Amino acid sequence: MAKKKEKQKRQSMMARVKKAHQKPGETKGGYGFELVGAFFCDFFYYVWQVLKWTVLTGLILTAVVSVVLFVRFGDDYRSFAKEADKIVAESRAEDFRMDEITYIYAADGGQIAELSSGNGKSSYLKYSEIPKHAAQAFVAIEDRSYWRNIGIDIKGIVRVAMDFVLSRGDNMAGASTITQQLSRTIYLTRERSVTRKIKEMMVAIRLTRKYSKQEILEFYINTACFSNGIYGLEAASRAYFAKNASELSLSQLAYLCAIPNRPEYFNPYRYPERAVERRDKILKDMLEEGYISKSEYQQACKEKIKIQKPEPEFYNYETTYAVYCAAEYLMKLHNFEFRYEFSDEEDYKQYQEAYEAAYNLEKKSLYANGYTVMTSLQPDVQASVQQALDNNLAFATQTNPKTDVYELQGAVTVLDNATGKTIAVAGGRSQENLNNVYSLNRAFQSYRQPGSTFKPLAVYTPALMYGYTPETTVYDIDVKTAQQPGVDISSLSGTSMSLRNAVEQSKNGVAYSVFYDIKPSYGLEFITNMKFDKIVPQDYTLSAALGGLTYGATTVQMASGYCTLANQGRYRDPSCIVSLKDKDGRELYKEEKPLKVYHERACSVMLDILKGVLTKGTAKSMGWSQVSDMPAAGKTGTTNGSKDGWFCGVTPYYTAAVWVGYDTPKTLDSLYGGTYPASVWKDVMLHLNEGKGVVDFN
């Protein structure tokens, strides 16, 4: 009905136009001005309809979003506004300098390392020193309304509001002005939420009132992340082109201005070609905005980009581990959701990508923002651990022909049972006059098959909670038979023995059948609760009972698992961080409460069983009882083909996990959990427990 009336109305209008232009005596069907008038009348009618409905739709959507936001956040508006007022009122120009040095300290107060983004004070550019084309490039690609807006872009907000409504409140991202991006980088968290977006806009508006547009653009260009822990245009220019920013060509400046959009994706050291396409987009936007001529545009697009090779930086094992722990804690502060269970392989890969991006971002922040990091790392313990590893593997002198690094490697992690904190990490063997030996910290970066050391954590302690006892009769079934399709594992038999004896002698058939009984989903739940981060869906099979994992575990993770047994089932994050302060001295670190993973009695019984491994089991040859009166418990682990050797063990005071093997797995006939790994563990523990009173496990 409405359409019919509209049509009649339009026809009536056209008739009046035709009549007004009709000459005397001219018939209705003549070819006169009335047709031209009718055409334009029809044209403008449709234009009006489009404009009318576009405006109305925008107004309606804006109104709807306003109502939705008011209903959801109306009560919080005043607190948001108050927070934004406080942030900007207390802001200083110094807030926008990303050239602070971060200091890392050991438990005794001695300095372990100092971290710097490499910027230095001299890399900060005043607005007058920023190349004109760089400022224009950022405005053209990031915020064309920059010089006119109030810190936010109204049109962009309407577009975001429409996305918010259409996504039913799930999406409120995009349309961030340069000032909003600056607000988020310096003052707010990196979470993607409506709350943060509102705060971001409030802070941006207030920053625009306090600082000039030139100052804000200066702050933005000096705080932008250019990948690889590099902040600011000048530092990026020196790192990637070995020149000052003032010496760069238009093409080089546009290339650098492409990087902050996605620093990891456009990393010039790893993917130098990726930013070229965005460089060309920036140049095109600059051309459209009238910042450059067509000839300048064409010449800049043709210019080849050549990246300067990076200067290597090397740190020792304790520093790289401290950086890792601190970066992960910053991720937590900024609401990154750590996950330890995944629906499928694709889910796992997507999570790993998100983790890597967030981790790299926080690691760069750590280098640039002047934190003070206090750790639980103990230099004297570190030295003894490193010496134990070096001495026990000194027989293997063969090196990699490309890197000169020893081929046979090892890793050790030591935790203090009283705190659950890491006090020493050896990520490999040391080599004099060879800095790149520290480029890989195997203690937390190398994931290896844990073999039988995995059994107490995933099979036997869960089984003790499931109803098993040390005296329960179990059967050492044939694993190869059990792995055949269609075999009823519950009907298989083998040599009968007690559970205690099976653990001491590391019988794979028993672990396999017990795991079948308690189910992989049950056993691995304890593992994921202890934050083993590479347990994927394909690990939920019976092979996991023998430590057969897709990716494996690190010595840090295995040490934390055994430390949990020593602490009556209470898991603590094995981080080495005890304090993390920002550049203003504000404490950011807060200790988490222990997580109850295992029952106390199950842990006590498991430790009692594991004592037998050292006295009459697979680690008997270590001879612990001949050299120490301190009670000790542990487990050996050897993977197929003797490619990985493990020993994980505890005393009432400390926990240590040791791995020995090759970076590229290969067989070493003499490698078993009870040989080199157990020897390293013994030397480490003898030093640690010297002078300690002899006590038993709780």
Side-chain angles (χ1 to χ4, degrees):
M1 185 62 118
K3 290 183 178 180
K4 186 175 181 181
K5 287 185 177 180
E6 288 286 343
K7 184 177 181 181
Q8 290 174 347
K9 183 178 179 181
R10 189 166 73 255
Q11 289 175 341
S12 176
M13 187 185 300
M14 291 174 63
R16 286 198 298 273
V17 171
K18 290 173 70 176
K19 184 175 181 181
H21 291 85
Q22 188 175 356
K23 296 179 181 179
E26 188 176 35
T27 63
K28 291 182 179 181
Y31 292 91
F33 284 107
E34 75 279 5
L35 290 181
V36 177
F39 171 78
F40 280 107
C41 177
D42 210 28
F43 174 76
F44 286 118
Y45 173 80
Y46 281 113
V47 170
W48 161 243
Q49 293 298 316
V50 171
L51 288 174
K52 180 175 71 175
W53 287 110
T54 301
V55 172
L56 284 175
T57 301
L59 290 173
I60 291 171
L61 282 171
T62 303
V64 170
V65 171
S66 299
V67 171
V68 171
L69 292 178
F70 179 78
V71 170
R72 185 180 294 187
F73 302 105
D75 293 339
D76 298 321
Y77 176 81
R78 288 187 179 180
S79 66
F80 290 169
K82 188 176 180 180
E83 182 182 349
D85 286 337
K86 186 174 185 294
I87 286 173
V88 177
E90 295 177 355
S91 69
R92 306 162 300 168
E94 289 76 17
D95 294 347
F96 308 101
R97 300 194 72 108
M98 306 293 279
D99 49 19
E100 301 288 340
I101 296 175
T102 289
Y103 296 95
I104 300 178
Y105 297 94
D108 62 2
Q111 182 177 307
I112 294 176
E114 60 179 55
L115 311 177
S116 171
S117 64
N119 290 8
K121 298 289 182 183
S122 62
S123 71
Y124 188 92
L125 297 176
K126 289 290 187 181
Y127 182 77
S128 59
E129 299 171 324
I130 296 172
K132 177 183 66 175
H133 284 320
Q136 292 171 339
F138 276 120
V139 170
I141 192 67
E142 297 290 349
D143 185 4
R144 291 192 180 188
S145 69
Y146 175 74
W147 297 107
R148 304 184 304 276
N149 66 44
I150 60 172
I152 60 175
D153 179 11
I154 303 299
K155 290 181 181 179
I157 291 173
V158 171
R159 184 177 71 253
V160 170
M162 293 174 67
D163 290 341
F164 179 78
V165 171
L166 295 174
S167 67
R168 298 181 180 181
D170 290 335
N171 184 30
M172 194 173 186
S176 290
T177 62
I178 282 175
T179 315
Q180 284 176 251
Q181 293 178 47
L182 181 67
S183 304
R184 179 171 65 246
T185 299
I186 304 300
Y187 297 116
L188 302 174
T189 66
R190 297 174 179 86
E191 63 175 324
R192 296 173 65 87
S193 68
V194 176
T195 301
R196 196 223 68 205
K197 196 72 176 178
I198 294 172
K199 290 179 181 179
E200 179 186 295
M201 291 188 288
M202 288 181 167
V203 172
I205 292 171
R206 287 157 177 78
L207 283 176
T208 305
R209 293 174 188 163
K210 182 170 183 176
Y211 300 101
S212 69
K213 285 288 185 178
Q214 288 80 2
E215 287 176 311
I216 290 174
L217 193 55
E218 173 189 314
F219 298 154
Y220 176 79
I221 290 175
N222 282 285
T223 57
C225 178
F226 289 83
S227 192
N228 297 297
I230 298 167
Y231 289 83
L233 182 69
E234 181 71 3
S237 177
R238 294 175 186 175
Y240 300 131
F241 295 115
K243 298 178 182 178
N244 293 327
S246 60
E247 302 174 282
L248 297 185
S249 67
L250 168 62
S251 179
Q252 290 171 325
L253 285 169
Y255 179 91
L256 291 182
C257 293
I259 299 170
N261 177 255
R262 294 175 65 186
E264 282 311 301
Y265 180 80
F266 293 123
N267 185 335
Y269 289 149
R270 298 180 65 184
Y271 315 107
E273 73 290 344
R274 285 184 176 177
V276 172
E277 184 178 351
R278 185 167 172 82
R279 175 205 66 177
D280 295 346
K281 168 82 166 59
I282 291 173
L283 291 170
K284 185 177 181 182
D285 287 356
M286 292 177 72
L287 175 64
E288 292 174 355
E289 289 294 292
Y291 293 140
I292 58 176
S293 66
K294 189 171 184 179
S295 61
E296 287 177 311
Y297 164 74
Q298 292 173 336
Q299 183 178 350
C301 286
K302 291 178 182 178
E303 185 176 323
K304 300 294 183 182
I305 296 296
K306 185 177 181 180
I307 299 300
Q308 180 84 1
K309 289 185 178 181
E311 294 183 5
E313 290 185 353
F314 301 109
Y315 293 106
N316 53 29
Y317 292 131
E318 53 265 47
T319 298
T320 54
Y321 182 65
V323 167
Y324 161 74
C325 293
E328 278 212 332
Y329 191 77
L330 290 175
M331 291 168 68
K332 177 185 174 184
L333 282 184
H334 294 139
N335 300 309
F336 180 82
E337 184 182 351
F338 290 93
R339 294 176 56 199
Y340 307 98
E341 295 183 74
F342 308 95
S343 57
D344 52 38
E345 184 68 15
E346 184 61 29
D347 183 33
Y348 169 77
K349 289 181 178 179
Q350 289 178 359
Y351 169 78
Q352 289 299 320
E353 290 176 2
Y355 172 91
E356 183 179 354
Y359 176 82
N360 287 329
L361 188 64
E362 299 301 353
K363 182 179 176 182
K364 290 162 190 171
S365 172
L366 188 69
Y367 274 69
N369 286 323
Y371 295 97
T372 299
V373 183
M374 302 298 297
T375 75
S376 55
L377 298 170
Q378 299 180 17
D380 60 328
V381 177
Q382 179 70 33
S384 68
V385 168
Q386 190 66 63
Q387 184 177 8
L389 184 64
D390 291 344
N391 289 348
N392 280 281
L393 300 185
F395 69 91
T397 58
Q398 188 171 351
T399 61
N400 185 305
K402 293 182 179 179
T403 64
D404 289 329
V405 174
Y406 288 132
E407 288 195 337
L408 182 63
Q409 283 294 338
V412 186
T413 298
V414 181
L415 306 185
D416 183 341
N417 294 346
T419 63
K421 296 287 185 182
T422 302
I423 60 173
V425 287
R429 298 167 65 184
S430 60
Q431 290 179 248
E432 292 184 6
N433 305 318
L434 191 62
N435 283 331
N436 66 336
V437 72
Y438 300 108
S439 60
L440 173 64
N441 191 328
R442 297 165 186 83
F444 74 94
Q445 291 178 315
S446 291
Y447 290 77
R448 304 299 291 249
Q449 305 298 318
S452 294
T453 57
F454 200 58
K455 295 173 183 175
L457 303 180
V459 182
Y460 291 126
T461 308
L464 292 169
M465 293 172 58
Y466 197 78
Y468 283 75
T469 72
E471 288 69 40
T472 298
T473 300
V474 289
Y475 297 93
D476 186 21
I477 66 173
D478 182 71
V479 174
K480 289 185 177 180
T481 300
Q483 291 175 335
Q484 296 299 315
V487 171
D488 180 8
I489 296 176
S490 62
S491 66
L492 296 179
S493 63
T495 304
S496 65
M497 63 188 70
S498 68
L499 185 73
R500 179 186 294 274
N501 185 244
V503 176
E504 291 172 349
Q505 302 304 320
S506 196
K507 297 298 184 180
N508 285 342
V510 172
Y512 202 85
S513 63
V514 171
F515 204 51
Y516 170 79
D517 185 33
I518 67 173
K519 301 295 183 288
S521 58
Y522 177 71
L524 291 180
E525 182 180 352
F526 297 92
I527 301 302
T528 55
N529 283 342
M530 293 187 291
K531 300 183 179 180
F532 282 59
D533 62 347
K534 290 191 181 293
I535 302 299
V536 292
Q538 49 267 45
D539 289 330
Y540 286 78
T541 65
L542 297 180
S543 295
L546 312 181
L549 304 174
T550 304
Y551 296 102
T554 66
T555 59
V556 171
Q557 292 173 342
M558 294 303 295
S560 72
Y562 277 75
C563 187
T564 301
L565 297 179
N567 282 313
Q568 297 85 50
R570 292 188 294 273
Y571 168 85
R572 293 187 181 96
D573 189 339
S575 169
C576 67
I577 307 300
V578 296
S579 173
L580 179 64
K581 295 180 179 179
D582 65 16
K583 61 184 177 183
D584 296 319
R586 290 174 295 197
E587 182 61 67
L588 304 178
Y589 185 76
K590 184 178 180 182
E591 193 69 48
E592 289 185 350
K593 292 182 179 180
L595 173 67
K596 190 70 172 177
V597 175
Y598 301 111
H599 291 169
E600 291 182 12
R601 177 165 177 76
C603 291
S604 297
V605 173
M606 191 73 253
L607 289 173
D608 185 61
I609 294 174
L610 291 175
K611 285 182 180 180
V613 174
L614 277 70
T615 58
K616 50 186 175 181
T618 54
K620 180 181 178 180
S621 60
M622 181 204 304
W624 176 259
S625 59
Q626 282 77 50
V627 295
S628 176
D629 294 328
M630 188 68 70
K635 185 71 184 74
T636 59
T638 309
T639 61
N640 290 339
S642 292
K643 295 177 181 177
D644 299 279
W646 287 80
F647 190 86
C648 300
V650 299
T651 68
Y653 296 103
Y654 301 103
T655 299
V658 181
W659 164 83
V660 173
Y662 295 92
D663 289 332
T664 301
K666 66 178 181 179
T667 296
L668 177 62
D669 292 335
S670 57
L671 176 59
Y672 297 93
T675 56
Y676 313 122
S679 295
V680 173
W681 184 91
K682 181 177 73 172
D683 290 350
V684 167
M685 283 301 191
L686 283 174
H687 174 83
L688 283 170
N689 289 276
E690 185 177 2
K692 297 285 185 182
V694 176
V695 296
D696 206 346
F697 298 103
N698 290 331

